[in-house]
Amino acid sequence: MSTLTTDVLVIGSGPAGASAALFLATHGVDHIVITKYRWTANTPRAHITNQRTVEILRDLGVEDDVLAQGTPQDLMGDTVFCTSLTGDEIGRVRTWGTHPARRADYTLASPSSNCDLPQTLLEPILIGHAAERGSRVRFDTEYLGLEQDEDGVTVTVRDRLSGHTYPIRAKYVIGADGGRSQVAKDVGLPFEGQMDLAGSMNIVFHADLSRLVEHRPSVLYWVLQPGSDIGGIGMGLVRMVRPWDEWLIVWGYDISGPPPAVDDAMATKIVHDLIGDDTIPVTIRSTSLWGNNKMYATRYRAGRVFCAGDAVHRHPPSNGLGSNTSIQDSYNLAWKLAMVLKGQAGPALLDSYDAERAPVGKQIVLRANKSIDEFGPIFEALGFTESDDPAEKIANMRARTENTPKAAEQRIALRKALELKDYEFNAHGVELGQRYSSGAVVADGTPEPEHTRDPELFYHPTTWPGARLPHCWLGRDGQKVSTHDLAGKGRFALLTGIAGQKWVAAAELAAKQLDIEIATFVIGAGREHIDLYDDWARLREVEESGCVLVRPDAHVGWRSWALPADPAGDLAAALARLLDRA
Ligand code: FDA
């Protein structure tokens, strides 16, 4: 029997693998996806879908599906801290950019809105469109091992239905097999950090809780119940899955002991305790256990094997970054693989995947873990750390309502502690502010622009090479289009102004020389793309005669301050460096 061959084998169909498949299919790259189970995720783990991810999916033409199925931003943000859903409300934080003062930041930064889309709904959108566009997807197919040589990788897989084991030969492999990645282990990727620092259980259930939440719609309700657990603080999370009748509770357990056997009775009791009303009918759908990790790979590539997603960054759900970052990893990798496979780029372009994404992985792992630590000041403000006795903790928490100097201090401390949670729930800079430095970015000799506001909380738009293309609305045929709508689509884009008209011919020449596609856009009065509000003129950071060269992943690859003597030569030289064609 002849060996099955393909250009790229994707292992896993979670957010990293399914999106890799969608990107490769859209770029016309021959590939196969294998995935262990019979279908996509069976529990709604990831849900916060940030603007960067939605605008990537916009590039792929599936934004409408995501927004149609997701819960909109308006219903995401009245995040509550309480003693139960029927109990005392301790405080609220406006989250996910819903504070009126933050809405402008989010609206100005991206053509796309964030939303809440459970993983159970996102994955079928990704894999469905991928299959429609040419992915060959093999469910019930398990990765067993691999061997690589100079020309390719031979992967051994098992059909879990028949038990049949067979090889697949690929030029490249993407290991997107999640937080316990066998692929990362087999190719020996180096990791820093620790796994399983704390234990959590997920309880998915149906219950109509509209009455308890409709006046404060949010995707997260944090419940503090000292004494309801063994040894810890007693904090649980009631998370909306579908408004307002499908929910997921995250509850802790002691990971140093044996894993708890969570039956329906135990799960129902936890649910009723956190709701604070045991008369509400509850149907338990599923329970599962998972570990909180603080681990990241310092290298994402071993030869022809690339890992993406949780395979290389493992962290708690805080900040909602896991699935988002996994999709963004694959978006970064896919166009590079496509161009190398089509002979449009040299192999060194693939080195930039590591260089660009590993620092992001480290950043989000540390950020998510810090966000867990930043619950500490809330516990301190509520007096939880003053005693081990649950009754005293509850009394300390209640004491904040008294008319005493100590209680007034407690209230100030609580306010500050809740404000600190902006770094978890409104970390717009972390979500959008990634600036790459690698061989696939050609510097223009200017220093990196300083962040004028907190870099984690606020996104700072810049066209500095390596940064994400700033968004603004342009006019075309009487309609509004984003600068991001000009970018992407698997090809380069060059943005210039009327005085930079000569870049069009320069780009045509460079594209011909390198056999690549460059879409050119002269933005200005009387042109196809009009700078409706002069926002592009304010954002572009180059002269009207300069240009901004945008990579297929909407990051700036190079820019020129003004029209040089030889624009075609300068552009071709920059592209040749970026694409390892020098
Ligand atoms: P993922 O684990 O999703 O997928 C791995 C894939 O590999 C699966 O398809 C599996 O079948 C396959 N596989 C594994 N072993 C295999 C083998 N040997 N052979 C073949 N296939 C194999 N993130 C976020 O962005 N926003 C959020 O709001 C949240 N919220 C959240 C809440 C909770 C409670 C949890 C536990 C997690 C989150 N996350 C999150 C994190 C998010 O779920 C996680 O980061 C992504 O699922 C990671 O996607 P991957 O595709 O990398 O792995």
Side-chain angles (χ1 to χ4, degrees):
M1 207 175 80
S2 64
T3 301
L4 201 54
T5 60
T6 186
D7 282 350
V8 183
L9 178 68
V10 180
I11 301 170
S13 62
S19 63
L22 178 59
F23 303 147
L24 293 171
T26 309
H27 292 314
V29 175
D30 175 77
H31 67 283
I32 296 174
V33 183
I34 61 158
T35 188
K36 192 168 172 183
Y37 302 105
R38 70 176 178 83
W39 183 228
T40 49
N42 62 355
T43 59
R45 289 177 296 146
H47 56 122
I48 304 296
T49 308
N50 66 34
Q51 284 179 297
R52 182 65 188 129
T53 298
V54 181
E55 69 191 19
I56 286 172
L57 299 175
R58 176 185 181 96
D59 176 33
L60 273 292
V62 303
E63 183 184 29
D64 287 351
D65 294 41
V66 168
L67 297 182
Q69 296 202 41
T71 298
Q73 187 194 19
D74 279 351
L75 296 181
M76 288 169 66
D78 234 355
T79 292
V80 172
F81 289 78
C82 55
T83 56
S84 74
L85 289 191
T86 52
D88 185 16
E89 198 173 300
I90 296 162
R92 285 192 207 183
V93 180
R94 293 185 187 93
T95 55
W96 315 117
T98 56
H99 191 297
R102 295 306 311 272
R103 269 191 196 274
D105 293 326
Y106 283 69
T107 309
L108 284 168
S110 173
S112 302
S113 173
N114 54 8
C115 68
D116 187 289
L117 185 64
Q119 202 164 336
T120 35
L121 298 178
L122 173 66
E123 287 184 16
I125 293 176
L126 299 174
I127 207 75
H129 283 288
E132 217 171 61
R133 295 176 194 186
S135 287
R136 287 174 294 162
V137 188
R138 297 195 159 204
F139 289 100
D140 278 310
T141 304
E142 185 176 8
Y143 161 84
L144 295 182
L146 64 79
E147 272 180 35
Q148 54 175 323
D149 51 54
E150 273 191 14
D151 304 319
V153 192
T154 303
V155 178
T156 306
V157 307
R158 178 170 52 219
D159 180 328
R160 282 161 51 98
L161 294 179
S162 66
H164 173 56
T165 297
Y166 61 97
I168 301 178
R169 177 81 177 162
K171 290 182 187 148
Y172 296 100
V173 166
I174 300 179
D177 53 338
R180 311 256 161 211
S181 175
Q182 190 59 42
V183 179
K185 202 183 280 175
D186 289 351
V187 298
L189 294 188
F191 281 88
E192 283 180 13
Q194 263 180 290
M195 294 281 276
D196 294 325
L197 294 166
S200 293
M201 70 178 76
N202 280 357
I203 302 169
V204 181
F205 64 100
H206 279 269
D208 182 359
L209 302 182
S210 322
R211 175 176 68 81
L212 303 175
V213 296
E214 62 194 355
H215 56 294
R216 46 184 181 176
S218 173
V219 298
L220 304 174
Y221 300 84
W222 296 92
V223 181
L224 293 134
Q225 292 189 342
S228 57
D229 68 328
I230 307 134
I233 294 290
M235 183 169 74
L237 170 65
V238 183
R239 186 196 115 192
M240 182 275 290
V241 176
R242 301 305 284 162
W244 307 102
D245 58 2
E246 189 178 343
W247 299 85
L248 184 153
I249 276 179
V250 183
W251 189 242
Y253 74 90
D254 181 2
I255 203 162
S256 61
V262 190
D263 59 15
D264 271 14
M266 179 179 172
T268 306
K269 176 160 178 6
I270 293 171
V271 172
H272 276 148
D273 283 351
L274 297 198
I275 296 174
D277 180 350
D278 63 7
T279 65
I280 290 187
V282 165
T283 309
I284 303 294
R285 291 292 179 210
S286 70
T287 63
S288 51
L289 302 179
W290 51 277
N292 281 289
N293 307 316
K294 186 180 187 177
M295 189 174 248
Y296 52 89
T298 51
R299 181 159 52 77
Y300 286 11
R301 175 185 187 180
R304 292 175 165 270
V305 180
F306 301 84
C307 283
D310 277 15
V312 277
H313 35 78
R314 303 155 188 183
H315 53 88
S318 338
N319 293 73
L321 290 167
S323 160
N324 287 299
T325 308
S326 303
I327 291 170
Q328 292 155 24
D329 285 347
S330 295
Y331 191 59
N332 182 288
L333 177 58
W335 71 269
K336 296 173 181 173
L337 280 173
M339 291 196 82
V340 170
L341 282 161
K342 289 176 189 167
Q344 296 171 321
L349 177 63
L350 297 174
D351 292 336
S352 67
Y353 171 61
D354 241 359
E356 295 179 353
R357 296 305 298 173
V360 174
K362 176 177 177 179
Q363 180 200 12
I364 62 143
V365 168
L366 299 182
R367 176 64 258 166
N369 277 280
K370 199 167 174 210
S371 294
I372 298 265
D373 296 342
E374 286 171 355
F375 278 105
I378 297 178
F379 305 146
E380 271 169 45
L382 293 175
F384 286 2
T385 48
E386 287 169 26
S387 165
D388 286 335
D389 177 3
E392 271 183 49
K393 286 184 192 189
I394 291 168
N396 291 345
M397 177 160 56
R398 285 202 186 121
R400 80 188 194 289
T401 62
E402 290 164 8
N403 186 6
T404 62
K406 190 174 174 212
E409 271 174 31
Q410 210 182 352
R411 291 191 289 271
I412 292 169
L414 181 61
R415 190 185 316 137
K416 286 191 178 145
L418 289 174
E419 278 168 7
L420 191 59
K421 294 311 289 174
D422 273 343
Y423 285 90
E424 173 168 359
F425 301 126
N426 294 301
H428 203 214
V430 176
E431 293 167 3
L432 286 187
Q434 297 160 8
R435 296 175 182 176
Y436 298 149
S437 169
S438 77
V441 172
V442 180
D444 67 347
T446 58
E448 180 172 355
E450 296 274 334
H451 289 268
T452 48
R453 298 187 288 177
D454 187 309
E456 286 192 290
L457 296 182
F458 298 96
Y459 160 67
H460 178 134
T462 174
T463 61
W464 191 66
R468 167 188 164 274
L469 174 70
H471 150 77
C472 70
W473 293 112
L474 305 172
R476 183 175 65 201
D477 297 334
Q479 302 293 318
K480 279 187 188 171
V481 292
S482 167
T483 44
H484 274 249
D485 296 328
L486 311 188
K489 296 160 198 61
R491 41 81 169 143
F492 284 87
L494 183 139
L495 278 51
T496 187
I498 293 174
Q501 180 72 43
K502 283 192 176 156
W503 285 109
V504 176
E508 266 170 30
L509 203 63
K512 207 165 165 192
Q513 266 173 21
L514 295 165
D515 189 25
I516 59 170
E517 197 186 337
I518 309 172
T520 48
F521 301 95
V522 178
I523 300 167
R527 305 299 158 123
E528 190 185 4
H529 292 90
I530 300 166
D531 195 358
L532 285 177
Y533 310 98
D534 272 339
D535 283 343
W536 176 242
R538 290 184 194 98
L539 284 167
R540 67 185 178 216
E541 296 175 338
V542 294
E543 291 274 319
E544 191 189 290
S545 69
C547 79
V548 176
L549 177 71
V550 188
R551 308 188 320 185
D553 60 355
H555 276 252
V556 176
W558 176 71
R559 67 180 178 179
S560 176
W561 166 250
L563 192 69
D566 177 14
D570 286 8
L571 178 61
L575 277 162
R577 251 179 78 188
L578 194 159
L579 294 172
D580 182 31
R581 298 276 297 274

